[in-house]
Amino acid sequence: MAEVKNLGVVGGGQMGSGIAQLGAMHGLHVWLLDTDPTALYRANKSISSSLQRFVSKGQISQAACTEALGRLEYTSNIDELRSADFIVEAIVESEDVKKKLFIELDKITKSSAILASNTSSISITRLASATSRRCQVIGMHFMNPPPIMKLVEIVRGAHTSDETFHATKALAERFHKTIICSQDYSGFIVNRILMPMINEAFFTLYTGVATKEDIDTGMKLGTNHPIGPLELADFIGLDVCLSIMKVLHAGLGDSKYAPCPLLVRYVDAGRVGRKCGVGVYDYRKGSEPIKASPRL
């Protein structure tokens, strides 16, 4: 496959906007697609602010920042991805929703285009089955936030070709990422290990073993983690954590992956973490601290 020049990113949230920013910073023409104009507005603002932080830290020049912004286009029209060489979806962690998107992308993109999923847990083989180009579908899992985190997890489906793998690997290397490769099993590498730890932290809170603060402090100071598991869950999004645990539970068939009832209750209550202002912790200005009671 020829060198990627045009990148499409679907999903204007934190992951999608971060991936789009990476592409623009490394010389690609980027289309960022989201059906919600408000999401695109927020993405534009977030990318601009992030690039300015890179400038203020001396990591890129003001000219490079301006050039990167000039390579970005924001759209709600999927047809604008027709000329993309490589497309990364970063939408909601739902197999059905992702399959519907891949069906649509398969119809409108050029035959040589690679369709990559930023899924953190869903089978690449099953996503590829929704398309007529199974050999050109691959998992490209960025860590959050993509412009900062150094890792990309590449996942080959049952039919992913060597050419698709090498093109994906080359793109990750262009972004100066460290690459790890996983077989196509639920959760892959990172979330197969991370999410059960977060889920166990919720069980520790749920059963009254300790407070949320002591759980996080214990893991930070006792195991040298830079952030506690409950703080990290809030950063990732409790809804995302729950979705991944459900995928692990269904895909691996072991009761040890059953989501903690407290995690389920928080998500049902709309307490999904930093992005909404409250999760395990309360991030709203001037609010009273919330006790993470098992009975909430």
Side-chain angles (χ1 to χ4, degrees), residues 1-9 17-32 47 51 64-74 83-88 114 140 142 167-176:
M1 181 183 175
E3 183 183 22
V4 173
K5 295 181 180 178
N6 300 307
L7 176 69
V9 180
S17 61
I19 296 166
Q21 178 182 324
L22 267 176
M25 289 175 70
H26 290 89
L28 301 179
H29 185 89
V30 181
W31 289 272
L32 179 57
I47 291 171
L51 286 169
C65 171
T66 302
E67 289 170 5
L69 290 172
R71 286 190 285 266
L72 276 160
E73 293 189 37
Y74 302 86
S83 58
D85 303 309
F86 197 106
I87 298 172
V88 182
I114 289 174
M140 191 179 193
F142 292 82
T168 305
K169 183 172 180 285
L171 185 60
E173 289 170 344
R174 183 171 178 176
F175 294 162
H176 304 301

Side-chain angles (χ1 to χ4, degrees), residues 259-280:
C260 175
L262 182 59
L263 173 59
V264 176
R265 289 179 193 176
Y266 277 16
V267 174
D268 286 346
R271 289 176 54 168
V272 295
R274 282 184 175 271
K275 58 189 172 185
C276 79
V278 61
V280 178

Side-chain angles (χ1 to χ4, degrees), residues 164-228:
T164 296
F165 170 75
H166 290 305
T168 305
K169 183 172 180 285
L171 185 60
E173 289 170 344
R174 183 171 178 176
F175 294 162
H176 304 301
K177 299 301 184 184
T178 298
I179 298 157
I180 60 174
C181 299
S182 172
Q183 297 295 318
D184 190 19
Y185 291 104
S186 299
F188 315 135
I189 300 169
V190 174
N191 281 325
R192 175 77 174 266
I193 298 167
L194 174 63
M195 286 301 157
M197 182 190 74
I198 287 175
N199 197 49
E200 194 62 31
F202 271 94
F203 270 114
T204 306
L205 182 62
Y206 178 61
T207 55
V209 173
T211 65
K212 59 184 183 291
E213 293 86 0
D214 282 353
I215 292 167
D216 280 339
T217 299
M219 293 305 292
K220 285 187 287 187
L221 300 185
T223 63
N224 205 28
H225 287 198
I227 185 172

Side-chain angles (χ1 to χ4, degrees), residues 115-194:
L115 305 182
S117 175
N118 184 58
T119 179
S120 53
S121 61
I122 296 169
S123 167
I124 300 303
T125 301
R126 292 202 301 271
L127 293 180
S129 71
T131 77
S132 63
R133 61 181 85 190
R134 292 181 294 175
C135 64
Q136 291 161 237
V137 177
I138 194 165
M140 191 179 193
H141 178 210
F142 292 82
M143 305 298 127
N144 190 18
I148 304 297
M149 298 295 281
K150 297 183 181 299
L151 189 71
V152 166
E153 192 174 36
I154 295 179
V155 186
R156 296 179 70 151
H159 301 282
T160 304
S161 69
D162 289 343
E163 184 180 14
T164 296
F165 170 75
H166 290 305
T168 305
K169 183 172 180 285
L171 185 60
E173 289 170 344
R174 183 171 178 176
F175 294 162
H176 304 301
K177 299 301 184 184
T178 298
I179 298 157
I180 60 174
C181 299
S182 172
Q183 297 295 318
D184 190 19
Y185 291 104
S186 299
F188 315 135
I189 300 169
V190 174
N191 281 325
R192 175 77 174 266
I193 298 167
L194 174 63

Side-chain angles (χ1 to χ4, degrees), residues 208-256:
V209 173
T211 65
K212 59 184 183 291
E213 293 86 0
D214 282 353
I215 292 167
D216 280 339
T217 299
M219 293 305 292
K220 285 187 287 187
L221 300 185
T223 63
N224 205 28
H225 287 198
I227 185 172
L230 298 174
E231 293 173 294
L232 180 57
D234 273 352
F235 182 74
I236 294 168
L238 303 192
D239 53 337
V240 175
C241 294
L242 178 58
S243 293
I244 295 170
M245 286 308 302
K246 287 179 177 178
V247 169
L248 289 173
H249 192 210
L252 300 173
D254 192 320
S255 61
K256 72 180 181 180

